[in-house]
């Protein structure tokens, strides 16, 4: 399948209802409104194809950009490539669920994610913290430095309440992910989650929302989900 064929197939799969949902979450035109599960048959035909992924991502079409992440070759991408993708990731569903997910399968994942976390830019921070969530939820515990992850938990505790909006979501999820998927620091994550307490988001809306990693970790404990690791990061 070539670029034009893929774009035609994606357009045919688009649904107005799905499109409205994406737009309500921050997407904008151009987009078709394709449910991600409906992309799987096309992905199976193409498998991994970095040149096609680059063409699709460059369209600015949300569905094409998402599909680009599905067929990308993460280890064929350099730091500059990931920075370029982040430059056009204009809302969290791209930064956290396309770019961060793709980065999580690359050998340079932690290096790039560390840089983004330190950037001070809302979506880069969100992508950096999200990347660690994907990593911790997939890779064996021994691949991580316990002292580094502990230091990151401390950073979240110290800064989450004053961080940019989308970064708060990702940082809160980082505490939860450490607490459920990284067993060496489960107790530390529980302690930090309690210290952080509820995290207020959506302050600019009529009603604020509160995130609570402590409650969610306890729910995971009750369900016997400690040590959870997903087989694949990308669908």
């Amino acid at each position: 399948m070539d670029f034009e064929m893929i774009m035609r197939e994606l357009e045919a799969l688009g649904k107005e209802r799905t499109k409205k949902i994406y737009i309500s979450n921050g997407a904008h035109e151009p987009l078709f409104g394709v449910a991600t599960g409906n992309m799987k048959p096309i992905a199976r035909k193409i498998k991994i194809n970095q040149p096609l992924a680059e063409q699709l991502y460059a369209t600015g079409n949300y569905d094409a950009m998402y599909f680009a992440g599905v067929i990308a070759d993460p280890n064929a991408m350099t730091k500059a490539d990931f920075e370029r993708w982040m430059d056009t990731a204009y809302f969290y569903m791209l930064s956290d669920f396309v770019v961060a997910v793709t980065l999580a399968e690359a050998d340079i994942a932690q290096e790039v994610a560390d840089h983004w976390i330190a950037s001070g830019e809302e979506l880069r921070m969100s992508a950096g913290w999200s990347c660690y969530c994907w990593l911790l939820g997939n890779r064996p515990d021994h691949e991580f430095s316990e002292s580094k992850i502990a230091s990151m938990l401390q950073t979240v505790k110290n800064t989450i309440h004053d961080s940019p909006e989308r970064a708060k979501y990702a940082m809160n999820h980082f505490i939860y992910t450490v607490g459920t998927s990284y067993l060496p620091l489960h107790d530390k994550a529980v302690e930090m989650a309690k210290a952080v307490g509820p995290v207020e988001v959506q302050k600019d809306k009529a009603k604020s929302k509160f995130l609570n990693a402590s409650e969610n970790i306890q729910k995971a404990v009750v369900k016997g989900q400690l040590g959870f690791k997903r087989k694949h990061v990308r669908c």
Side-chain angles (χ1 to χ4, degrees):
M1 296 181 73
D2 61 18
F3 169 76
E4 287 77 14
M5 290 172 66
I6 295 168
M7 290 299 290
R8 284 197 297 271
E9 289 218 21
L10 290 174
E11 185 172 13
L13 289 168
K15 303 289 184 198
E16 195 62 32
R17 184 171 177 274
T18 306
K19 183 175 179 177
K20 287 178 180 177
I21 292 170
Y22 292 161
I23 289 173
S24 72
N25 279 280
H28 59 58
E29 295 284 1
L31 76 163
F32 302 132
V34 184
T36 55
N38 291 340
M39 295 181 181
K40 289 183 180 180
I42 313 175
R44 282 194 289 267
K45 294 177 189 175
I46 299 168
K47 298 182 181 176
I48 300 299
N49 189 316
Q50 185 62 27
L52 263 180
E54 291 290 359
Q55 280 185 284
L56 291 163
Y57 198 85
T59 63
N61 177 298
Y62 169 69
D63 301 286
M65 295 170 84
Y66 188 97
F67 189 67
V70 175
I71 65 168
D73 181 355
N75 280 319
M77 296 178 68
T78 64
K79 286 183 281 185
D81 292 328
F82 282 110
E83 293 290 354
R84 179 166 45 79
W85 277 35
M86 270 303 303
D87 286 341
T88 49
Y90 62 86
F91 78 125
Y92 79 95
M93 286 171 66
L94 287 170
S95 63
D96 293 15
F97 300 117
V98 177
V99 186
V101 171
T102 306
L103 176 61
E105 291 195 359
D107 293 339
I108 57 174
Q110 291 193 49
E111 180 184 354
V112 175
D114 290 344
H115 177 69
W116 287 349
I117 287 169
S119 72
E121 294 180 31
E122 182 171 14
L123 291 182
R124 274 181 164 78
M125 290 175 69
S126 181
W129 287 108
S130 292
C131 182
Y132 269 95
C133 294
W134 295 112
L135 287 166
L136 290 163
N138 169 251
R139 299 191 185 185
D141 289 345
H142 67 77
E143 290 192 16
F144 302 92
S145 162
E146 185 175 334
S147 61
K148 178 180 180 179
I149 301 300
S151 176
M152 292 174 74
L153 281 173
Q154 188 65 46
T155 297
V156 172
K157 175 180 176 291
N158 293 343
T159 64
I160 188 169
H161 291 289
D162 297 315
S163 291
E165 194 79 350
R166 284 313 317 179
K168 287 181 182 179
Y169 282 91
M171 294 165 83
N172 181 78
H173 194 60
F174 175 80
I175 303 175
Y176 167 80
T177 305
V178 175
T180 55
S181 295
Y182 187 63
L183 292 180
L185 289 176
H186 166 74
D187 291 340
K188 183 76 171 176
V190 169
E191 174 192 327
M192 289 296 182
K194 288 177 180 176
V196 166
V199 178
E200 186 177 9
V201 293
Q202 299 181 359
K203 293 181 183 178
D204 58 338
K205 297 192 175 181
K207 188 176 181 182
S208 293
K209 178 179 178 181
F210 289 90
L211 310 175
N212 195 317
S214 182
E215 287 182 0
N216 291 331
I217 291 171
Q218 291 312 306
K219 287 176 185 176
V221 170
V222 171
K223 292 178 181 178
Q225 294 176 336
L226 291 192
F228 168 78
K229 299 285 185 181
R230 64 179 73 243
K231 283 188 177 181
H232 306 286
V233 177
R234 290 184 292 175
C235 297

